């Protein structure tokens, strides 16, 4: 049995039709391509945390939760001594956004200085978008759902 602490995290798959919102760290490109995500605070539900994290990291408020795609555990070793219990949500954009934009997270948990993120949209045409840190765990499920909803809309 693991003695590692468990931390609840919320992960956002924000879609606009058949595109997924992703970002890279402006100053740390080695961190890879990511989606908005963060720690679920003690006083909040994962569904509240995912909306807060989207706003803090991207500046976007115009989203609505479609569904909880699932929950999984991810071992952060060797980067941190913790197991993350990840709540992955599919959200849909409800207001227009640029095709690319930069946003500064003003209250990052790991640093006192703002962190710049470069956001953009990628086509959801495969379940392997190379998301960093195991964030792509439920992408195949999302791709399947998007494809099937598009197929039913075309019939």
């Amino acid at each position: 049995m693991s003695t590692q602490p468990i931390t609840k995290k919320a992960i956002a798959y924000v879609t606009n039709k058949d595109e997924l919102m992703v970002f890279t760290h402006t100053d740390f490109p080695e961190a890879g391509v990511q989606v908005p995500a963060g720690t679920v605070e003690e006083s909040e539900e994962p569904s509240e945390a995912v909306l807060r994290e989207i706003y803090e990291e991207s500046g976007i408020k115009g989203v609505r939760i479609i569904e909880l795609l699932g929950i999984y555990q991810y071992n952060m070793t060797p980067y941190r001594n913790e197991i993350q219990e990840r709540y992955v949500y599919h959200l849909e954009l409800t207001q227009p956004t640029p095709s690319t934009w930069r946003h500064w997270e003003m209250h990052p948990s790991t640093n006192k200085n703002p962190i710049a993120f470069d956001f953009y949209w990628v086509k959801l045409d495969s379940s392997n978008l190379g998301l960093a840190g195991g964030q792509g765990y439920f992408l195949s499920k999302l791709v399947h759902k998007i494809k099937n909803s598009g197929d039913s809309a075309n019939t």
Side-chain angles (χ1 to χ4, degrees):
M1 181 170 187
S2 176
T3 59
Q4 292 173 283
I6 294 178
T7 304
K8 286 185 179 182
K9 297 286 184 172
I11 295 179
Y13 292 167
V14 179
T15 60
N16 183 17
K17 297 180 179 123
D18 64 345
E19 293 184 317
L20 179 70
M21 182 173 76
V22 297
F23 71 89
T24 56
H25 286 258
T26 309
D27 297 325
F28 304 100
E30 65 276 8
V33 177
Q34 299 179 40
V35 294
T39 301
V40 177
E41 302 297 336
E42 217 172 287
S43 62
E44 65 185 352
E45 293 296 319
S47 60
E48 296 168 325
V50 78
L51 293 170
R52 177 181 51 76
E53 288 293 340
I54 291 167
Y55 178 68
E56 287 177 2
E57 293 184 1
S58 74
I60 303 251
K61 282 188 176 179
V63 294
R64 70 180 180 95
I65 295 175
I66 302 296
E67 70 177 316
L68 174 66
L69 289 171
I71 303 167
Y72 71 102
Q73 290 194 340
Y74 188 80
N75 189 334
M76 290 300 293
T77 305
Y79 306 106
R80 280 186 283 216
N81 182 36
E82 73 180 19
I83 302 288
Q84 292 184 349
E85 183 175 84
R86 294 177 168 185
Y87 294 74
V88 182
Y89 288 89
H90 174 207
L91 301 97
E92 182 178 71
L93 190 66
T94 61
Q95 70 182 36
T97 63
S99 58
T100 64
W101 70 99
R102 179 170 289 170
H103 185 77
W104 286 263
E105 184 177 21
M106 301 308 287
H107 304 287
S109 59
T110 58
N111 194 334
K112 294 193 186 310
N113 296 323
I115 298 174
F117 297 133
D118 288 323
F119 280 87
Y120 57 99
W121 296 92
V122 293
K123 193 89 156 159
L124 270 172
D125 53 7
S126 83
S127 59
N128 182 12
L129 298 176
L131 293 181
Q135 288 187 336
Y137 191 85
F138 283 118
L139 266 185
S140 61
K141 185 176 182 178
L142 178 64
V143 167
H144 181 74
K145 292 178 84 50
I146 298 282
K147 183 181 182 315
N148 285 343
S149 70
D151 290 347
S152 63
N154 293 330
T155 56

